[in-house]
Amino acid sequence: MQLKELENKTVLIWKMAIASAISWEVAKLVGSDHPYLAPLSVVLCLQTTVYQSIFFSIHRVIGTVIGVIKTVYLVSRLSMNGWMLGLLMLGGTFIAKWLRRDETVLHQVALTILFIFVFERNSKDYAMDRIVDTIVGAVIALLIHMFFYPPDYTKQAAASVGRLTRQISDIFAEVSHWIEFEWGQGKSTEVENSINQFQQELSTAKTLLKSASKSLKFNPFGKKHKFNISRCQSEMKKLEKAHTYLSTVTGTFKNWEKELLLMPEEQADMGRQIKNFSKHFKNLGNSLQIEADKWDKTEQATLYNVLNSELQALPQVSHEGFKGSFYVATRNFLKELI
């Protein structure tokens, strides 16, 4: 993961340098007397993903236009002082707010008003150059970002979800071992700690998966990875269900353990069921490392058939008592996995 972050930073540095150089020259070609404004837009518009860059670029252009329209006429007729600058910013940003623009636009309006307020007196072309150069810089930044190593976090997301599925597999195995071999020995605290740690890592993985999904938007080379992201999103939902299930049955077993009412044959049966979940998630974790063109759906169908057979084999019991709570929770969880 750290190696990939370093690689992303290196690519960003190259993009920033190349796009800034090109935008400066293009700005000069279109007649700008302030070509440095184009690289300024490049630096600001190169965001983490292409989607975020497009979003920021649009809002930057809108904010710049609003700021220019609001300021260029008044600046030559007003005295230049802090109070007047504040009033112009107040009016411009409230116009953007009235137009229901994003907060990013408010910042761009304020910056544009500030720069025009200062520079328009000395250079009558500054306001128009700011609009043109902002568009030039934003467009070039987007083109470079889209076609020169566009951001793609699919592999990191798949690896993260894969690690989580193997981690939840280990927790299922830990619970199974507790039920079968360590019943009555106060193992529940260790299991609960494992589940809590998993919940924290689950939250981190969800954030990474969300970033990976966004990185494919407007990515011309990201189409082949959309299937992998879809698989990861599907497995993430199962991981959330697995966490809920483990939290529920662990609480049941913890209370059950205090009364030591679990019989040896029940320990073996319930431990086997939990162990089967461990095997299921271990297989899913391994399958996530397979690329879309090599994915064998028959293997997934086999896993589901095994789960379905286990569902049919569960005893029919009421919800009353510890045993009923376990089997009802297990039956519901199996239905969600199938």
Side-chain angles (χ1 to χ4, degrees):
M1 186 69 71
Q2 291 179 344
L3 183 63
K4 185 63 179 178
E5 288 179 358
L6 288 174
E7 180 183 332
N8 290 338
K9 289 180 181 178
T10 301
V11 171
L12 178 61
I13 290 170
W14 276 100
K15 286 182 177 181
M16 200 174 294
I18 293 172
S20 294
I22 294 175
S23 65
W24 180 292
E25 295 303 320
V26 171
K28 287 169 60 178
L29 286 175
V30 298
S32 173
D33 293 326
H34 304 84
Y36 61 85
L37 293 171
L40 175 63
S41 288
V42 167
V43 173
L44 293 175
C45 291
L46 280 175
Q47 300 291 308
T48 305
T49 65
V50 175
Y51 172 79
Q52 290 173 317
S53 295
I54 292 175
F55 179 84
F56 188 92
S57 298
I58 292 174
H59 285 79
R60 176 164 172 76
V61 171
I62 293 174
T64 298
V65 171
I66 292 175
V68 168
I69 294 174
K70 176 70 173 62
T71 311
V72 72
Y73 176 77
L74 297 175
V75 72
S76 61
R77 294 167 173 78
L78 301 173
S79 58
M80 190 171 69
N81 57 60
W83 301 113
M84 189 55 62
L85 173 63
L87 288 173
L88 286 173
M89 281 192 180
L90 191 65
T93 49
F94 263 106
I95 289 175
K97 180 176 180 288
W98 177 70
L99 293 173
R100 300 183 182 277
R101 296 291 92 192
D102 186 85
E103 185 175 327
T104 306
V105 175
L106 301 183
H107 290 286
Q108 298 307 318
V109 169
L111 283 173
T112 300
I113 290 174
L114 172 61
F115 286 129
I116 292 179
F117 191 79
V118 174
F119 294 118
E120 180 67 11
R121 295 171 183 271
N122 301 320
S123 176
K124 298 303 180 183
D125 296 326
Y126 180 83
M128 184 54 64
D129 283 352
R130 185 163 182 85
I131 293 177
V132 173
D133 293 348
T134 295
I135 296 173
V136 168
V139 169
I140 291 176
L142 291 176
L143 291 175
I144 293 290
H145 213 22
M146 289 176 67
F147 295 100
F148 181 71
Y149 290 100
D152 187 345
Y153 302 101
T154 306
K155 289 184 178 180
Q156 297 99 303
S160 178
V161 176
R163 283 194 300 271
L164 280 179
T165 53
R166 290 188 289 274
Q167 183 179 347
I168 201 72
S169 171
D170 291 341
I171 297 176
F172 273 114
E174 185 180 2
V175 173
S176 174
H177 193 271
W178 164 35
I179 296 168
E180 290 194 73
F181 305 107
E182 297 179 292
W183 189 252
Q185 298 180 25
K187 182 74 172 178
S188 60
T189 301
E190 295 181 29
V191 174
E192 287 176 331
N193 289 338
S194 297
I195 294 173
N196 290 335
Q197 182 180 355
F198 176 81
Q199 183 180 23
Q200 295 174 5
E201 296 183 17
L202 184 66
S203 177
T204 302
K206 286 172 65 176
T207 301
L208 178 58
L209 184 57
K210 187 175 181 180
S211 297
S213 180
K214 285 186 176 181
S215 74
L216 297 183
K217 290 183 178 181
F218 304 102
N219 183 336
F221 309 110
K223 187 176 181 179
K224 63 179 182 179
H225 295 309
K226 289 183 178 180
F227 176 72
N228 288 334
I229 287 295
S230 178
R231 282 170 55 198
C232 287
Q233 291 171 335
S234 176
E235 299 312 321
M236 182 63 74
K237 292 178 181 178
K238 294 178 183 177
L239 289 172
E240 292 176 327
K241 299 292 185 182
H243 172 263
T244 301
Y245 170 74
L246 276 172
S247 299
T248 299
V249 298
T250 297
T252 298
F253 283 127
K254 182 179 180 180
N255 293 325
W256 202 345
E257 187 180 36
K258 293 176 182 177
E259 301 188 21
L260 299 174
L261 295 175
L262 191 58
M263 302 301 292
E265 60 273 16
E266 293 174 328
Q267 287 178 263
D269 180 59
M270 294 180 182
R272 177 194 58 79
Q273 180 62 62
I274 297 295
K275 190 180 296 182
N276 286 339
F277 286 134
S278 175
K279 294 177 181 178
H280 175 76
F281 280 97
K282 184 177 182 180
N283 290 335
L284 287 181
N286 293 333
S287 71
L288 283 172
Q289 305 309 310
I290 302 174
E291 294 294 335
D293 55 351
K294 299 178 181 178
W295 172 245
D296 185 1
K297 292 184 179 180
T298 59
E299 182 179 351
Q300 183 70 54
T302 300
L303 286 174
Y304 287 161
N305 288 334
V306 171
L307 291 175
N308 189 51
S309 63
E310 291 177 0
L311 175 61
Q312 302 303 322
L314 284 179
Q316 295 290 340
V317 295
S318 68
H319 196 283
E320 297 177 358
F322 297 125
K323 186 187 298 186
S325 296
F326 169 75
Y327 280 117
V328 168
T330 301
R331 182 179 297 279
N332 292 336
F333 182 47
L334 280 168
K335 289 178 179 178
E336 290 169 341
L337 291 180
I338 295 173

